[in-house]
Amino acid sequence: MTPHKNDKSSRTTGRPTLNEVARLAGVSPITASRALRGVSSVATELVEKVQKAAQELNYVVNSAARALASAQSQSVVVLVPSLSNLLFIETLEAIHQVLRPKGFEVLIGNYHYSRDEEENLLRNYMTYQPRGLLLTGFDRTESARRMIEANNIPCVYMMDLDPGAGLNCVGFSQLNAGETAAQHLISRGRKHLAYVGAQLDQRTLLRGEGFRRALQEAGLYNPDLELLTPRPSSVGLGGELFLQLMQSQPQVDAIFFGNDDLAQGALLEAMRCGIKVPEQVAVLGFNDLPSSEHMVPRLSSISTPREAIGRRAAEQMLTLLAGNSVAEPVVDMGFELRVREST
Amino acid sequence: MTPHKNDKSSRTTGRPTLNEVARLAGVSPITASRALRGVSSVATELVEKVQKAAQELNYVVNSAARALASAQSQSVVVLVPSLSNLLFIETLEAIHQVLRPKGFEVLIGNYHYSRDEEENLLRNYMTYQPRGLLLTGFDRTESARRMIEANNIPCVYMMDLDPGAGLNCVGFSQLNAGETAAQHLISRGRKHLAYVGAQLDQRTLLRGEGFRRALQEAGLYNPDLELLTPRPSSVGLGGELFLQLMQSQPQVDAIFFGNDDLAQGALLEAMRCGIKVPEQVAVLGFNDLPSSEHMVPRLSSISTPREAIGRRAAEQMLTLLAGNSVAEPVVDMGFELRVREST
DNA sequence: TTGTATGCGTTATCAT
DNA sequence: ATGATAACGCATACAA
C-alpha cells in the first residue's frame, strides 16, 4: 500500500523485524516483544497471534539489538588454558549443561597456557558485555586482574583453591594432591621418587611443590629426581621423559607424572624397553583420564572431579547472576586416589 | 560542570562510551569512531588524541551497538559433533588461527552427534547474525537445511566431500578411506576382515560402506564381521568390542576400527589376553591420533588432515566473506595410510 | 579531513 | 493489559 514506507537502506539484513511481526499481528511492537518473551501481562489471545505471525515470517530476534536495548547480554565467558586436554572439555560440557537451560550463551576461550593470550581474550570478550566470567586458576597478568575488577563482573575461579580469600572458587588443593601422590608411593615402600611435569602451568608446579614437601618430610627428597619441561604434555613426551629419567637416574623406583598422558606414554615406553611396572618402577598419573584404567598395566592415578567442578562453578555463577552472594565462596571438591596396577 | 547532562537511566552499564571518549579528546563521536577503527581519513594527530582518551577512560567498544549500527557482526559459527574427540579440537584450532587475525570471532557449538541439537544450536546462533557458518558433514535436519538457505549466509562444509555439487566443502572421501583400509589389509594377505564402528555418524557409516564394497569386490565380504554400535567411541569401548568380536568370530584376522581410540583399546585388550598383533590379528585405526604411534605395537592408521581441513575451510570462508566466490568449491584434502607395526 | 543528521532493532519507562 | 515515546551506543550517508 505504501511501498515507500518499506524503503530500507542497503545496510539492512533483510530479515523480518519485530515491527513487521507486530504489524502482521495487528499489535504494537512492544506488545509483540512482550508476547515473544513470555512476559506476563499479555492477553493469551494476543500471544497466540504474535507467535503465529513470528512463525509465518520466520522471525528470529536480533541479539545485538536486544543486548543494546536491555544493556545486558546473556553470555558467560569461560576461559580455559587448553582444549587438547580432555580435562577441560569435560568441565566445559558440565558448564554448558547448567547454563544453557537457563538461557545463557557460553563463550569459550582457549588461551593455550599463555597469560598474554588470556589477557587478550579477556579484553576481546569484554566488548560483548558478558554477564559473568568463569576462569581457570589464579595465575594471570596484572592487567587481566584489573580488567576483571574494573568491570565489576561476577567471576568464579575453577580448578584451584584461593590461597588468599574473598574469591569465589571451585576446585581442590593442587598442593594436597601432590602430597597425596607422594604419600601413596612412599607407603608402597619406594625410596627414590621422581616427579615429571610438563606444561608447567601454575597447577602443575603446585602439585610438584606438594610432592616435594612430602618427600622432604620423609627425608626422601632428591632434586635430581625432578624432571620439568615447558613442552606441552602428550603421550609421546611422556615416553621420552621416562626414558631420559631412567637412563640418567636408574635408581628411580617410582614416578609421579603431572598428567595422565605423560604417565601413559611412560607405561608404553616401559613395555617397549622391558622395564617392569610396577616391579622395577611404580608409575602414578594425575587426572585419571578415561583411557588410563585400560592401560597395561592399569594406571594408578589421582582422579580429579573436573565435571563436578564445572557444574558447581556454573551453579555459583547462576546465584551470582541472580544478584545473590554465594553461601560458600570457596568450595573444595576434593580428589581421589585410584590405586590400580601400576603402583 | 553540567551534571544534569550526565544523567543516565539505571539501565546503562556505567562503562564509558564513544561519546565520552570523543568529548575528552575534543572531537566528534564519529571521528573518535574512525580513529579507533583505523579508518584512513583521520589526521594522525587526532588519532593519537583519541587513543589516549580511550586508554585513559579504559574504553572498550560495545559489540552489540557496533553490530546493530553496522548491521554486521564479526562472528563465524562453527558447529562440530563432538569435542571429546581430539580430532575436532585440532580443526577448531586451525580455524581460529585463520579467522582471529582477520578480526573474526569464532562461536563454537557442540551438538553431540545429535541432529536435533545441531538444529537448535543453529537457530540460537542465528540470533547473533553470524557472518558465516562452518558445518561438519552433510547430514542434518530438513529444518536446519532450510534455515541455512533461507538466511543466505556463506557456508562451508567440512570433513566430507559433497556427493552432489554446488556446496563449498573441504574434506576427503570417507568412502575412499574405507576402501583404502580394506585394500591395505587385503594386501597383507588377510582373509577374514572385520569392521568395528561406534558413534555411527554418517561419516563412520560411509567408511564402513567403502570397506564393505572393497571386500565384496574381493569376494571376502562377510556380514557377520561387522560390529556397529551407537555408543560413543572410547578406548574402553574398543577393548570391549574387540573381545566380543574375537570370541564370537575367532577366525577374524584383521580389524578396521572406525576410530583410533577404539583401535587403541583393542591393542591394549589384545595384550591383556595374549592375542598377538599383528600375527594373529591385524589392527588398523582411523584418524591417526597423536598417541597412536606410541602404542605397543605402534598402531597403523589412516591419517586425516583435520588441521589442514580447518585451515582451508576457514580460508574459503574468508574469500566468501569478502564477497568473492571460491575458485575451487569442493576441495579434496585426501588422507594418508600410515603403516606401522599393528598391520 | 571532519562533522551533522539519522537509523539500526529492540526494550525501558511511563502513560492510558 | 496495551501503547507512545525515547533511548541503548555506534556507524552509515552525506554535507561541509
Side-chain angles (χ1 to χ4, degrees):
Chain A
M1 290 234 143
T2 47
H4 63 282
K5 290 204 73 172
N6 261 338
D7 277 346
K8 299 265 180 177
S9 95
S10 59
R11 299 163 52 210
T12 60
T13 59
R15 298 223 295 226
T17 70
L18 196 53
N19 259 294
E20 306 175 37
V21 173
R23 214 180 311 156
L24 181 59
V27 299
S28 76
I30 184 63
T31 299
S33 169
R34 291 197 265 245
L36 258 17
R37 276 180 299 158
V39 171
S40 48
S41 60
V42 177
T44 46
E45 178 201 7
L46 286 190
V47 173
E48 282 172 21
K49 259 197 208 171
V50 171
Q51 284 177 336
K52 223 186 85 219
Q55 204 145 31
E56 197 164 321
L57 295 178
N58 240 296
Y59 170 78
V60 294
V61 291
N62 180 327
S63 283
R66 166 172 288 179
L68 184 58
S70 64
Q72 260 204 6
S73 77
Q74 282 303 100
S75 50
V76 171
V77 168
V78 186
L79 263 30
V80 295
S82 161
L83 286 179
S84 2
N85 208 318
L86 236 26
L87 204 158
F88 295 108
I89 306 284
E90 292 177 33
T91 305
L92 282 174
E93 279 300 301
I95 293 170
H96 257 103
Q97 267 159 26
V98 174
L99 258 27
R100 285 279 325 263
K102 301 291 183 184
F104 291 98
E105 210 56 53
V106 180
L107 264 31
I108 301 173
N110 172 2
Y111 55 88
H112 303 93
Y113 284 104
S114 153
R115 288 159 44 110
D116 288 340
E117 205 175 335
E118 190 198 25
E119 183 187 322
N120 283 335
L121 282 177
L122 216 43
R123 199 186 317 286
N124 203 279
Y125 275 130
M126 282 305 182
T127 68
Y128 289 90
Q129 326 244 130
R131 294 282 298 276
L133 253 32
L134 287 164
L135 304 181
T136 308
F138 304 106
D139 178 42
R140 48 185 48 82
T141 67
E142 198 43 53
S143 279
R145 237 183 281 275
R146 263 181 282 126
M147 279 177 59
I148 299 166
E149 273 189 62
N151 283 278
N152 194 33
I153 180 174
C155 187
V156 177
Y157 300 83
M158 304 183 291
M159 296 304 159
D160 203 351
L161 264 21
D162 187 14
L167 297 184
N168 295 298
C169 53
V170 180
F172 58 91
S173 166
Q174 303 278 344
L175 212 72
N176 285 356
E179 288 175 359
T180 298
Q183 285 154 4
H184 168 60
L185 262 13
I186 292 172
S187 80
R188 291 302 216 212
R190 305 291 166 158
K191 299 296 180 200
H192 305 280
L193 301 90
Y195 177 59
V196 176
Q199 203 69 78
L200 304 194
D201 58 297
Q202 202 189 29
R203 289 173 302 288
T204 301
L205 260 17
L206 241 26
R207 290 194 288 272
E209 169 78 14
F211 190 74
R212 183 187 318 136
R213 279 194 204 173
L215 293 192
Q216 282 168 336
E217 277 181 27
L220 291 172
Y221 179 62
N222 175 356
D224 294 338
L225 270 39
E226 258 179 25
L227 192 47
L228 300 176
T229 166
R231 293 167 62 190
S233 172
S234 74
V235 170
L237 181 61
E240 269 183 55
L241 296 176
F242 174 76
L243 261 191
Q244 188 181 325
L245 182 67
M246 295 308 288
Q247 279 166 0
S248 61
Q249 309 285 337
Q251 82 276 25
V252 164
D253 59 9
I255 310 177
F256 174 41
F257 286 91
N259 243 316
D260 262 20
D261 48 5
L262 294 177
Q264 292 180 3
L267 253 30
L268 294 168
E269 197 56 42
M271 184 169 312
R272 234 184 286 281
C273 303
I275 296 178
K276 293 271 191 197
V277 176
E279 292 78 0
Q280 176 175 347
V281 56
V283 171
L284 178 61
F286 191 85
N287 275 328
D288 194 26
L289 297 184
S291 50
S292 289
E293 65 166 316
H294 301 289
M295 296 302 293
V296 179
R298 298 185 191 277
L299 180 64
S300 294
S301 189
I302 290 182
S303 167
T304 54
R306 55 255 186 202
E307 193 184 315
I309 288 176
R311 199 179 320 118
R312 188 64 179 271
E315 284 163 1
Q316 283 217 7
M317 179 53 67
L318 244 25
T319 89
L320 288 173
L321 290 179
N324 308 314
S325 66
V326 297
E328 195 187 348
V330 10
V331 8
D332 184 351
M333 303 294 290
F335 52 84
E336 225 173 291
L337 174 65
R338 293 231 202 288
V339 180
R340 292 196 269 252
E341 303 170 349
S342 70
T343 52
Chain B
M1 292 231 144
T2 48
H4 63 281
K5 290 205 70 171
N6 260 337
D7 276 345
K8 299 267 179 176
S9 96
S10 59
R11 298 161 51 209
T12 59
T13 58
R15 298 224 292 226
T17 70
L18 196 53
N19 257 294
E20 306 176 37
V21 174
R23 215 179 313 154
L24 181 58
V27 299
S28 77
I30 185 61
T31 299
S33 170
R34 292 197 265 243
L36 257 18
R37 276 179 298 155
V39 171
S40 49
S41 58
V42 177
T44 47
E45 178 199 7
L46 286 190
V47 173
E48 281 173 21
K49 261 198 206 170
V50 171
Q51 283 176 337
K52 222 186 87 218
Q55 204 145 31
E56 197 163 321
L57 295 178
N58 240 296
Y59 170 78
V60 294
V61 290
N62 180 327
S63 284
R66 167 172 288 180
L68 185 57
S70 64
Q72 261 203 7
S73 77
Q74 283 303 101
S75 51
V76 171
V77 168
V78 186
L79 262 30
V80 295
S82 162
L83 286 180
S84 0
N85 208 319
L86 237 26
L87 204 160
F88 295 108
I89 306 285
E90 293 177 31
T91 305
L92 281 174
E93 280 298 302
I95 293 170
H96 257 102
Q97 268 159 26
V98 174
L99 258 27
R100 286 278 325 262
K102 300 291 183 183
F104 291 98
E105 210 54 54
V106 179
L107 262 31
I108 300 172
N110 172 3
Y111 54 89
H112 303 94
Y113 285 104
S114 153
R115 289 159 45 109
D116 288 341
E117 206 176 334
E118 190 199 25
E119 183 187 321
N120 283 336
L121 282 177
L122 217 41
R123 200 186 315 286
N124 203 278
Y125 276 128
M126 282 306 182
T127 69
Y128 289 90
Q129 326 245 129
R131 294 282 298 277
L133 251 33
L134 286 164
L135 304 180
T136 308
F138 304 106
D139 179 41
R140 49 185 47 83
T141 68
E142 198 42 53
S143 278
R145 236 182 283 274
R146 263 181 282 126
M147 279 177 59
I148 299 165
E149 272 189 61
N151 283 280
N152 194 32
I153 179 175
C155 186
V156 177
Y157 299 83
M158 304 183 292
M159 295 303 159
D160 202 353
L161 265 20
D162 186 15
L167 297 183
N168 296 297
C169 54
V170 180
F172 58 91
S173 167
Q174 303 278 346
L175 212 72
N176 285 357
E179 289 176 358
T180 299
Q183 284 156 4
H184 168 61
L185 261 13
I186 292 172
S187 80
R188 291 302 216 211
R190 307 289 167 159
K191 299 296 180 201
H192 306 281
L193 300 91
Y195 178 60
V196 176
Q199 202 69 79
L200 304 193
D201 58 297
Q202 202 190 26
R203 289 173 301 287
T204 301
L205 260 17
L206 242 24
R207 290 194 288 271
E209 169 79 12
F211 190 74
R212 183 187 317 135
R213 279 195 204 171
L215 292 193
Q216 283 168 336
E217 277 180 27
L220 291 171
Y221 179 62
N222 175 355
D224 293 338
L225 270 37
E226 257 179 25
L227 193 47
L228 299 176
T229 167
R231 293 167 62 191
S233 173
S234 74
V235 170
L237 181 60
E240 270 184 54
L241 296 177
F242 174 76
L243 260 191
Q244 188 180 324
L245 181 67
M246 294 308 289
Q247 279 166 1
S248 61
Q249 308 286 337
Q251 81 278 24
V252 164
D253 60 8
I255 311 177
F256 174 42
F257 287 91
N259 242 315
D260 262 19
D261 49 6
L262 294 176
Q264 291 180 3
L267 253 29
L268 294 167
E269 198 56 43
M271 185 168 312
R272 235 184 286 281
C273 303
I275 296 179
K276 293 271 190 195
V277 176
E279 292 78 1
Q280 176 175 348
V281 55
V283 171
L284 179 61
F286 191 83
N287 273 329
D288 194 25
L289 296 183
S291 50
S292 290
E293 65 166 317
H294 301 289
M295 296 302 293
V296 179
R298 300 186 189 277
L299 180 64
S300 295
S301 188
I302 291 183
S303 166
T304 54
R306 55 254 186 206
E307 193 185 315
I309 287 176
R311 200 179 320 120
R312 188 65 180 269
E315 285 163 358
Q316 283 216 6
M317 180 52 67
L318 244 25
T319 88
L320 289 174
L321 290 179
N324 308 316
S325 66
V326 297
E328 195 186 351
V330 10
V331 8
D332 184 350
M333 302 294 291
F335 52 83
E336 225 172 289
L337 175 65
R338 293 231 201 289
V339 180
R340 291 195 270 251
E341 303 170 349
S342 70
T343 52

